[in-house]
Amino acid sequence: MKLKPLIALAAVCATLLSPSARAADAYPGKPVVIVAPSGAGGGFDFVGRMMGQTLTEQLKGSFIVDNRTGSGTVVGTKSVAIAPPDGYTLLVGGLSNMVFNAALYDKQAYSPQNDFIPVKLVARYPYVLAARADLKLDTASQIMAAAKLQPETFTIATAGAGSGQQVLAAAFEKSAKAKFLIVPYKSAQAAYQDLIAGRVDLFFDTLPSVRPHLQSKRVKAIFITSPVRNPAVPALPTAREIGLPELEMGSWFGLFAPRKTPPNVVTELRRALDAGMKEPAMLTRLDAAGIEPLALTPEQTDAFIKAEYTKWTGVIKQAGITAD
């Protein structure tokens, strides 16, 4: 066999590969930035750092989280939408920036469907309806019945315009067929100050955030919005169990890439996250925080995001919620 012609042919084929394909084969050949479109300490930041650590370990590269804040989650998300689609600028995507923003803003800075590829969803934070500790009502049915009899007497705190807390408050009001007095706050921390002090009655918040207040008994829990009971609070009934399946909501997060990112880079990222999220230490970490791991195929992910988009943009528009 004549090897020289074969070697020459291989060299020619290598030069014909597109720059993106050659870069993908060596991926990651330089540090990768994962943009978390919110400040440090929140869900975007936590999941971004968790994914960054996992990808660093699995792919033996450098994955760095960059918190880019502004206009809610819009500034950071848009910066990735217009970034070169080479796999070196990625996004922490979630319910807020991949679903809510499409209904909250009249003018769209980016398109969740057209500008991004969902690499993998990795985690979901269920919400809990928390009540002030001395509230005489202990169940959702009692609260809804009382709110019907006394419109705008019971108060629900919300945290930030267009937040999950605000959307759930609107959905709960619709389910109750009653009128609550919605009290907007600029942050969850501010809402907790008044909830703990007894100045507001109710507040929806994610389980990791509300759990310390439950453990200290400064507030009490009414129900959780996850599809099944959460092992962190096993006695707490789900929305479905109490007859409110429409209130099932989780603040989910995952990794997204610009739309034209090379398919083999997306596949490599997906493979690494699949492996890393199955590690016992990772599962223990999520379980301890009350966070639900997500293990969806690409097809299931697409269907899941589409269903979430249809459901929650409808709730937002019907309730007249805006980001202003």
Side-chain angles (χ1 to χ4, degrees), residues 239-252:
R240 184 171 294 273
E241 287 177 324
I242 63 173
L244 300 173
E246 67 276 13
L247 295 187
E248 286 182 358
M249 176 197 275
S251 189
W252 46 262

Side-chain angles (χ1 to χ4, degrees), residues 3-50:
L3 294 178
K4 288 185 178 180
L6 292 175
I7 294 172
L9 178 61
V12 171
C13 291
T15 61
L16 293 176
L17 285 173
S18 68
S20 62
R22 291 200 301 273
D25 288 340
Y27 186 82
K30 62 181 181 179
V32 180
V33 173
I34 300 175
V35 174
S38 67
F44 282 98
D45 182 67
F46 178 85
V47 174
R49 295 184 188 282
M50 180 180 69

Side-chain angles (χ1 to χ4, degrees), residues 11-311:
V12 171
C13 291
T15 61
L16 293 176
L17 285 173
S18 68
S20 62
R22 291 200 301 273
D25 288 340
Y27 186 82
K30 62 181 181 179
V32 180
V33 173
I34 300 175
V35 174
S38 67
F44 282 98
D45 182 67
F46 178 85
V47 174
R49 295 184 188 282
M50 180 180 69
M51 293 191 298
Q53 178 184 343
T54 297
L55 291 170
T56 295
E57 294 171 354
Q58 293 290 324
L59 296 179
K60 310 303 179 186
S62 178
F63 289 79
I64 304 165
V65 173
D66 181 8
N67 297 91
R68 298 181 189 173
T69 61
S71 299
T73 56
V74 173
V75 170
T77 303
K78 182 181 177 180
S79 73
V80 181
I82 62 177
D86 55 7
Y88 289 94
T89 306
L90 305 172
L91 175 72
V92 185
L95 180 62
S96 174
N97 59 342
M98 291 292 112
V99 172
F100 286 176
N101 285 355
L104 292 172
Y105 295 92
D106 290 333
K107 294 182 179 180
Q108 300 300 306
Y110 62 89
S111 168
Q113 296 91 346
N114 298 330
D115 292 340
F116 295 99
I117 298 170
V119 176
K120 183 174 176 61
L121 302 186
V122 298
R124 176 167 54 191
Y125 290 50
Y127 282 83
V128 170
L129 177 59
R132 56 184 173 87
D134 61 349
L135 187 69
K136 302 302 182 183
L137 309 173
D138 296 315
T139 68
S141 60
Q142 290 173 349
I143 291 170
M144 292 189 294
K148 285 181 180 179
L149 293 174
Q150 299 172 287
E152 296 191 333
T153 298
F154 293 91
T155 51
I156 302 182
T158 67
S163 63
Q165 292 94 334
Q166 185 183 21
V167 174
L168 269 173
F172 185 50
E173 188 174 58
K174 180 181 176 183
S175 295
K177 297 182 175 62
K179 192 68 176 174
F180 291 93
L181 183 61
I182 307 298
V183 184
Y185 290 83
K186 291 184 178 180
S187 67
Q189 290 79 7
Y192 277 120
Q193 289 179 359
D194 279 2
L195 185 69
I196 292 169
R199 289 188 287 268
V200 292
D201 299 313
L202 305 165
F203 181 48
F204 281 100
D205 200 15
T206 59
L207 176 57
S209 295
V210 74
R211 194 176 177 195
H213 303 297
L214 297 177
Q215 292 171 332
S216 65
K217 297 185 179 180
R218 289 179 291 181
V219 303
K220 63 180 180 180
I222 306 299
F223 67 90
I224 192 167
T225 64
S226 53
V228 297
R229 293 202 179 199
N230 191 289
V233 282
L236 197 58
T238 68
R240 184 171 294 273
E241 287 177 324
I242 63 173
L244 300 173
E246 67 276 13
L247 295 187
E248 286 182 358
M249 176 197 275
S251 189
W252 46 262
F253 299 93
L255 190 67
F256 288 71
R259 172 58 62 180
K260 294 183 180 179
T261 300
N264 45 348
V265 168
V266 174
T267 298
E268 187 69 356
L269 289 166
R270 194 170 282 153
R271 180 202 64 76
L273 285 175
D274 277 336
M277 295 304 297
K278 293 175 184 176
E279 293 286 343
M282 179 61 71
L283 294 174
T284 299
R285 183 181 179 189
L286 294 175
D287 186 60
I291 301 170
E292 303 168 359
L294 291 175
L296 305 176
T297 66
E299 295 76 19
Q300 289 171 331
T301 297
D302 289 341
F304 174 81
I305 294 174
K306 183 177 180 180
E308 290 283 276
Y309 185 91
T310 300
K311 176 179 179 178

